[in-house]
Amino acid sequence: MMTSPPDGTVPRLLPWSSPDGKPCYVLPSDGTGYVSRLADRMEAEQLGTADALIAEARKMLRSRAWTPGEIHLLAEDLTASLITVRRVAESRGERLREAGHVEDEDDIGEGGGEEGG
């Protein structure tokens, strides 16, 4: 694994950071290598955790019976999850662009999407 991409290549952004918080990359391959499979599993777990956190946030906010400490903790957890999910989205977007499924960055995230407005 690398902590920065080499010149001229488009490596895969991994769903974890180095100990000092820098992004980690793996050189592109067919996606069947150990690190790629590990990254795929970790991304799936991170997205599942985000789903569970969203459900918990909705439940908490619906109850309207929370303490300031609970809201603070929820905000911390949601922020951490959002950072993680954004990294997954960046990685997947880069792989889609590399595979030719997306022309440029303007094609991603615009047009409202299913949940957008």
Side-chain angles (χ1 to χ4, degrees), residues 12-88:
R12 176 182 178 172
L13 175 63
L14 295 171
W16 56 79
S17 299
S18 70
D20 58 350
K22 293 181 181 176
C24 293
Y25 300 86
V26 66
L27 289 175
S29 69
D30 62 1
T32 62
Y34 175 76
V35 175
S36 292
R37 290 190 326 268
L38 178 64
D40 289 343
R41 282 193 307 272
M42 189 168 186
E43 284 180 356
E45 289 175 16
Q46 290 170 331
L47 294 173
T49 298
D51 286 341
L53 187 55
I54 290 167
E56 179 63 27
R58 285 180 172 157
K59 180 181 167 186
M60 180 186 283
L61 294 172
R62 220 177 4 255
S63 76
R64 298 184 184 261
W66 58 81
T67 67
E70 289 171 328
I71 289 294
H72 179 80
L73 181 59
L74 178 62
E76 290 283 339
D77 290 346
L78 286 169
T79 299
S81 184
L82 184 58
I83 290 166
T84 300
V85 169
R86 185 175 188 271
R87 181 180 292 127
V88 170

Side-chain angles (χ1 to χ4, degrees), residues 111-117:
E114 291 181 24
E115 294 187 28

